[in-house]
Amino acid sequence: MATTKASLDALVIGIDIGGTGTKFGIVDRVGNVLFSGEISTKKHAEVETFIEELHKALSELIEKAGGVGRMKGIGVGAPNGNYYTGTVEYAPNLPWKGIIPLAKLIEDKFKLPVVLTNDANAAALGEMMYGAAQGMKDFIMITLGTGVGSGIVANGKLIYGHDGFAGELGHSIIIPDGRMHEGTGKRGSLESYASATGVRLTTLELLNNTDKPSMLRSLNPDEIDSKKVFEAASAGDELAMEIFEYTGKILGMALANAVMFSSPEAIILFGGLTKAGDLILKPTREHMEANVIQIFQNKVKILVSHLKESDAAILGASALAWELQ
Amino acid sequence: MATTKASLDALVIGIDIGGTGTKFGIVDRVGNVLFSGEISTKKHAEVETFIEELHKALSELIEKAGGVGRMKGIGVGAPNGNYYTGTVEYAPNLPWKGIIPLAKLIEDKFKLPVVLTNDANAAALGEMMYGAAQGMKDFIMITLGTGVGSGIVANGKLIYGHDGFAGELGHSIIIPDGRMHEGTGKRGSLESYASATGVRLTTLELLNNTDKPSMLRSLNPDEIDSKKVFEAASAGDELAMEIFEYTGKILGMALANAVMFSSPEAIILFGGLTKAGDLILKPTREHMEANVIQIFQNKVKILVSHLKESDAAILGASALAWELQ
């Protein structure tokens, strides 16, 4: 909550909407998150009550930061967020179905200009402006959370694509006829393996289909999550280590395909799964290298975001708002 | 060979280097190929003798077109061609191994500025300047020849990537642990299925591993190529139709992943396999649609290039040269 000289100038608001919670904050030009907060996304079956609570919570922060007059605008990162239309469309992880005119709803409520994109695109902008991608013109941002998001920067610009939805690497098919994704109904996508959800599913499969010993067997299946698997792997549990190896293998294959597509300088990973460190990074690197053709080998850095996790999502979303006129 | 008004102005030279043959021509500003020719690539074990023969053949055309003084420069499309360095690196389908400074070699011989990129990137530029992608800012070009090449345009610009090698969609892994690619040593890449070579291999596999009746069984295995399979499928041969169905399935999956990556307005297909028309296009469309998530469904056009095949490669390469200062 440090207030620096830059905070005397214009400020922006960053809102990051996730499937579980929504983080928001007020950010200055150099990337200080001056004030921040969080509300639940999941508990709002209706988007209107969500906007209501968001407005209430943010209004307090806006007052503390000097009032709405200092706010240049609002940047929003949301799953399936469309930069061109300001809508969120058919987001499998959000409670609101169909096409939601989210930018318009927020704009009307806050009386401030709003720009929206998907959460991973916002994260990519945050890394480019404040993080590991400063100075890079070609990189790919991958967020490994409940789902897998991605933002692709080429020629120094975010790729939004023809209709504003580019960067859905998480839904690319890596294992044909593989694991079913509950949200999309598609089989074998990256997200169904290389997300926190995917790690949980891999664990349940391995516990059910093998009789390998593991400390994870002592847990109630409902308790098993990627954090528990990480703890077990860190304690030397072989089954848990195998789970990360497998997750890294699939992520590495997906990254190989992404590298051959857009030939980035670096891939920047962010999110819960990166906390597993080399348990996941080592197999990811190995399988990426094993699957790229020679011209790409030993060239592409895999970096872990060094932005503070609590700030990164807000910074990313806020980075969008600086582009507003 | 029509000479139009535009041909009184500056001209460019386009050279398209393929694994088998190299096509070249002299092109005016509006896309007329005024003079053209072809030499063998394959027969030149050494790049020096290749440049020698290319220079000899092209010099005649340059004279006919008014002399070297009218030539603005040379654009070259070549597999694994690097836009930034002007080199061709480890191209599995070319006779010359390692890193070849091709742009420099041509520049020294012709005393003209040379710009080089991979053949599919050049094709994408050709489509953007003269073909089906005129006016598009986001599209993907896929060339289905002996191999599978791709060129990706986003935000109105070709994606070269950090090191100049972007757009190698043909080498992306579609079937993990799938068919071995002779040139790259990698398994399960798009190119090992959805190329003329891939169709031949699928055919040999199906003939060996099943006992389905097919008119293709009467051929000597050495004679079997994608053209023969097309003829059989056109005559109603069920096995041959199944081969195109399978090829389209894999191509469609790869296109789905590409669509979710860069969200293009259209995918433009070019090359020998497109002659099979709906035999391959129908399953390709179906499997692309089946594998994209909802936000991309029924949005992306699959178009077949309408450039004259004999001109397209030359036009694509020549399009590069107009960017020279």
Side-chain angles (χ1 to χ4, degrees):
Chain A
M1 301 279 166
T3 307
T4 73
K5 187 163 162 286
S7 70
L8 300 169
D9 307 322
L11 302 173
V12 290
I13 296 168
I15 301 174
D16 178 74
I17 301 178
T20 310
T22 292
K23 293 174 183 159
F24 45 84
I26 296 177
V27 181
D28 70 16
R29 179 63 84 166
V30 295
N32 294 302
V33 180
L34 305 178
F35 303 96
S36 63
E38 181 165 3
I39 63 170
S40 166
T41 312
K42 207 160 58 173
K43 77 168 192 196
H44 289 284
E46 303 299 327
V47 69
E48 289 75 16
T49 67
F50 168 78
I51 302 275
E52 218 37 80
E53 188 184 351
L54 181 67
H55 182 252
K56 188 151 172 278
L58 248 170
S59 294
E60 288 173 24
L61 305 190
I62 292 170
E63 279 318 301
K64 284 192 203 164
V68 75
R70 289 192 61 193
M71 303 299 143
K72 185 175 163 62
I74 301 175
V76 183
N80 289 24
N82 187 311
Y83 177 75
Y84 296 126
T85 60
T87 53
V88 165
E89 305 192 12
Y90 309 105
N93 302 320
L94 292 183
W96 322 307
K97 299 308 166 202
I99 300 177
I100 309 292
L102 201 65
K104 176 83 168 57
L105 292 170
I106 296 174
E107 205 163 282
D108 289 352
K109 192 75 186 177
F110 285 78
K111 315 288 180 206
L112 280 169
V114 174
V115 58
L116 175 147
T117 188
N118 82 45
D119 42 351
N121 283 346
L125 287 176
E127 293 295 334
M128 194 157 55
M129 200 153 170
Y130 309 114
Q134 283 178 68
M136 289 188 193
K137 300 193 78 163
D138 301 275
F139 71 95
I140 299 176
M141 177 85 206
I142 310 263
T143 61
L144 301 167
T146 315
V148 175
S150 71
I152 301 141
V153 172
N155 294 319
K157 290 179 72 175
L158 205 49
I159 298 186
Y160 290 114
H162 177 242
D163 62 356
F165 285 123
E168 291 292 346
L169 200 59
H171 295 293
S172 60
I173 308 301
I174 307 300
I175 308 289
D177 302 316
R179 186 182 285 165
M180 170 74 90
H181 186 296
E182 293 281 339
T184 66
K186 305 299 174 189
R187 288 194 172 275
S189 68
L190 175 61
E191 181 163 287
S192 54
Y193 298 91
S195 60
T197 320
V199 167
R200 178 179 142 77
L201 292 173
T202 300
T203 309
L204 296 176
E205 277 178 21
L206 279 175
L207 291 175
N208 282 330
N209 303 342
T210 73
D211 50 12
K212 284 202 179 172
S214 169
M215 61 179 74
L216 295 166
R217 292 192 185 277
S218 66
L219 298 172
N220 183 313
D222 289 347
E223 290 179 288
I224 289 174
D225 60 16
S226 56
K227 191 158 167 281
K228 291 277 193 313
V229 181
F230 169 56
E231 287 162 4
S234 301
D237 188 273
E238 280 190 24
L239 188 88
M241 289 161 79
E242 194 182 306
I243 290 160
F244 280 110
E245 171 75 31
Y246 180 70
T247 307
K249 176 181 174 172
I250 290 179
L251 180 57
M253 283 170 47
L255 296 189
N257 286 357
V259 163
M260 295 193 283
F261 197 102
S262 71
S263 195
E265 176 176 352
I267 291 169
I268 298 166
L269 303 179
F270 176 82
L273 281 189
T274 63
K275 287 186 194 134
D278 273 345
L279 281 169
I280 187 159
L281 293 176
K282 199 164 164 286
T284 300
R285 280 200 186 92
E286 276 171 18
H287 288 277
M288 181 181 89
E289 293 293 345
N291 284 291
V292 293
I293 55 170
Q294 189 169 8
I295 46 173
F296 298 104
Q297 276 163 12
N298 303 311
K299 275 189 180 174
V300 183
K301 291 170 267 191
I302 297 184
L303 305 173
V304 174
S305 169
H306 52 67
L307 293 179
K308 218 173 98 189
E309 193 172 348
S310 56
D311 287 356
I314 295 166
L315 283 176
S318 77
L320 267 174
W322 291 115
E323 291 177 7
L324 285 163
Q325 291 314 309
Chain B
M1 301 282 167
T3 307
T4 74
K5 190 161 163 287
S7 70
L8 300 169
D9 307 322
L11 303 173
V12 290
I13 296 168
I15 301 175
D16 179 74
I17 301 179
T20 310
T22 292
K23 292 174 183 159
F24 46 83
I26 296 176
V27 181
D28 70 17
R29 179 62 85 168
V30 294
N32 294 302
V33 180
L34 305 179
F35 302 96
S36 63
E38 182 167 1
I39 62 170
S40 166
T41 313
K42 206 160 58 173
K43 77 167 192 196
H44 290 283
E46 303 298 328
V47 69
E48 289 74 15
T49 66
F50 168 76
I51 301 275
E52 217 37 77
E53 188 184 351
L54 181 66
H55 183 251
K56 188 152 171 276
L58 248 170
S59 292
E60 287 174 23
L61 305 190
I62 293 172
E63 279 317 302
K64 283 191 203 166
V68 74
R70 290 192 61 192
M71 302 298 142
K72 185 175 162 63
I74 301 174
V76 182
N80 289 24
N82 186 311
Y83 177 74
Y84 296 127
T85 61
T87 53
V88 165
E89 306 193 12
Y90 310 104
N93 301 321
L94 292 184
W96 323 307
K97 299 308 166 199
I99 300 177
I100 309 293
L102 201 65
K104 176 86 170 58
L105 291 171
I106 296 174
E107 206 163 283
D108 288 351
K109 192 75 187 178
F110 285 79
K111 315 289 180 204
L112 280 169
V114 174
V115 57
L116 174 146
T117 189
N118 83 44
D119 42 351
N121 283 347
L125 287 177
E127 293 295 334
M128 194 157 55
M129 202 155 168
Y130 309 115
Q134 285 178 67
M136 289 188 192
K137 300 193 80 163
D138 301 275
F139 71 96
I140 298 177
M141 176 85 207
I142 311 263
T143 60
L144 302 167
T146 316
V148 175
S150 70
I152 301 141
V153 172
N155 294 319
K157 290 178 72 175
L158 204 50
I159 298 186
Y160 290 113
H162 176 242
D163 62 356
F165 285 123
E168 290 291 346
L169 199 59
H171 295 293
S172 61
I173 308 299
I174 307 301
I175 309 289
D177 303 315
R179 185 182 286 166
M180 170 74 89
H181 186 295
E182 292 281 339
T184 66
K186 305 298 176 192
R187 287 193 173 276
S189 68
L190 175 61
E191 180 164 287
S192 54
Y193 297 92
S195 60
T197 319
V199 167
R200 176 178 143 79
L201 292 173
T202 301
T203 308
L204 297 176
E205 277 178 23
L206 279 176
L207 291 176
N208 283 330
N209 303 341
T210 73
D211 50 12
K212 283 201 179 171
S214 169
M215 62 179 76
L216 295 166
R217 291 193 185 276
S218 65
L219 298 172
N220 183 315
D222 289 347
E223 291 179 288
I224 289 174
D225 60 16
S226 57
K227 192 159 167 278
K228 293 277 194 312
V229 182
F230 169 55
E231 287 163 3
S234 301
D237 187 274
E238 281 189 24
L239 188 89
M241 289 162 78
E242 196 182 304
I243 290 160
F244 280 111
E245 172 75 32
Y246 180 69
T247 307
K249 176 181 175 173
I250 290 180
L251 180 58
M253 283 171 47
L255 295 189
N257 286 358
V259 162
M260 294 192 285
F261 196 103
S262 71
S263 195
E265 177 176 350
I267 291 170
I268 299 166
L269 303 179
F270 176 81
L273 281 188
T274 63
K275 288 188 194 133
D278 273 346
L279 282 169
I280 187 159
L281 294 176
K282 198 163 164 288
T284 300
R285 279 201 186 92
E286 275 171 20
H287 290 275
M288 181 181 89
E289 293 295 343
N291 283 291
V292 292
I293 56 171
Q294 189 168 11
I295 46 173
F296 298 105
Q297 275 162 14
N298 302 312
K299 275 189 180 173
V300 183
K301 292 170 267 189
I302 297 184
L303 305 173
V304 175
S305 168
H306 53 66
L307 292 179
K308 217 173 100 191
E309 194 174 347
S310 56
D311 288 355
I314 295 166
L315 283 175
S318 76
L320 268 174
W322 291 115
E323 291 177 7
L324 285 164
Q325 291 314 311

